[in-house]
Amino acid sequence: MKPALPVVPRLFPVICLILGAMFALPGAAQTSATLTTSGTMSLGYDGIGLFGAPDASLSGTEFTLSITLDLTRLSGTRTGGENWVGNNGYGNPMFATGALTVAGRTYSWLIDSGSAYAGLSSNRDAVGMDASGKNMLDGYNVGAGAFIQTDGTTPRVVLGTDFAQTLVFDDYTLTPLRDHALAFYATIPYIPCEGCPGASGPEVFSTWFQADNPRAVWTASPVPEPATWGMLVLGAGVVGLARRRPFLNA
């Protein structure tokens, strides 16, 4: 007499096949974009002590900063030589991750609500990305943004505005319209308390820096589409059926 299969194992392959068929439908391209910058800080101050002793100057320090945005949560209009997307203001849904490495130490953040935008401009030969909000990893308020626009003497970098490409800004001259290309800050939220340091109430410790002419690389990578997940589920269903058949024939 063949042993009866429990209900869940019996239905698992069928459920997988149904879900796979539902998800394995054509989907729009989904993309995340990353802007990685590196260079020397023109100005900077580590009040929090993220990279060493608190209250240390960061001016002249080497850094690497990476910002990644999930573009599927942003919206915008692509017109001519401009392609910019955002989340329509602070507090709306978005998803950003980032990491700043200084002197061998790395500070990372993850933001799911705040302000975000990203874009490319072939008209102005520019790239921009900005994300700010509460860091879910430590509760600090974090913001990182770059807008790199070259002047007329620099060979053009942005010739098209499709996000799914790799662009490298290197050995360029920043347009005189901008005094710096990159800025970052991390601030401990203001918490009223008795006996806090500071002559006139609690101090708000912060770490910040700016860079005038960093090297920058824009890259884009796909986010798994519904069809991709659907194929994985279909595969699980096929494997389940294949494993079930010998059991039923035993």
Side-chain angles (χ1 to χ4, degrees):
M1 180 178 179
K2 297 177 182 177
L5 281 171
V7 175
V8 174
R10 279 188 297 172
L11 294 179
F12 175 75
V14 178
I15 293 173
C16 287
L17 291 173
I18 294 174
L19 290 176
M22 291 172 59
F23 282 104
L25 299 173
Q30 302 184 46
T31 304
S32 66
T34 300
L35 186 62
T36 302
T37 55
S38 59
T40 303
M41 301 180 187
S42 54
L43 294 172
Y45 173 72
D46 190 6
I48 298 176
L50 297 179
F51 309 104
D55 301 323
S57 172
L58 294 176
S59 300
T61 305
E62 299 294 317
F63 75 91
T64 299
L65 172 66
S66 178
I67 312 169
T68 298
L69 282 177
D70 180 354
L71 302 183
T72 65
R73 305 194 183 197
L74 309 180
S75 61
T77 303
R78 181 174 172 182
T79 305
E82 304 287 335
N83 189 7
W84 297 89
V85 294
N87 71 332
N88 300 314
Y90 197 89
N92 289 315
M94 46 88 76
F95 187 80
T97 60
L100 171 61
T101 300
V102 178
R105 296 189 178 186
T106 299
Y107 175 72
S108 302
W109 62 93
L110 187 157
I111 304 171
D112 68 348
S113 177
S115 176
Y117 79 82
L120 299 174
S121 170
S122 59
N123 297 330
R124 294 172 286 171
D125 194 33
V127 60
M129 185 176 291
D130 185 276
S132 61
K134 183 178 179 179
N135 184 1
M136 297 176 64
L137 303 180
D138 59 17
Y140 293 175
N141 296 318
V142 174
F147 190 94
I148 299 173
Q149 180 178 350
T150 67
D151 73 349
T153 66
T154 301
R156 294 184 64 83
V157 177
V158 184
L159 302 177
T161 58
D162 287 336
F163 286 150
Q165 62 177 312
T166 298
L167 300 172
V168 179
F169 287 76
D170 199 1
D171 194 22
Y172 64 91
T173 301
L174 194 66
T175 176
L177 299 176
R178 307 192 69 86
D179 56 356
H180 61 272
L182 174 68
F184 166 87
Y185 73 84
T187 302
I188 297 177
Y190 177 90
I191 302 176
C193 65
E194 295 293 336
C196 290
S200 58
E203 286 187 1
V204 180
F205 297 101
S206 64
T207 292
W208 62 271
F209 83 90
Q210 67 183 45
D212 299 338
N213 197 261
R215 183 178 191 270
V217 180
W218 165 287
T219 56
S221 58
V223 176
E225 299 184 14
T228 303
W229 294 116
M231 293 303 295
L232 292 175
V233 175
L234 278 172
V238 172
V239 171
L241 286 175
R243 296 187 63 183
R244 179 187 176 193
R245 188 175 301 277
F247 183 86
L248 292 177
N249 292 333

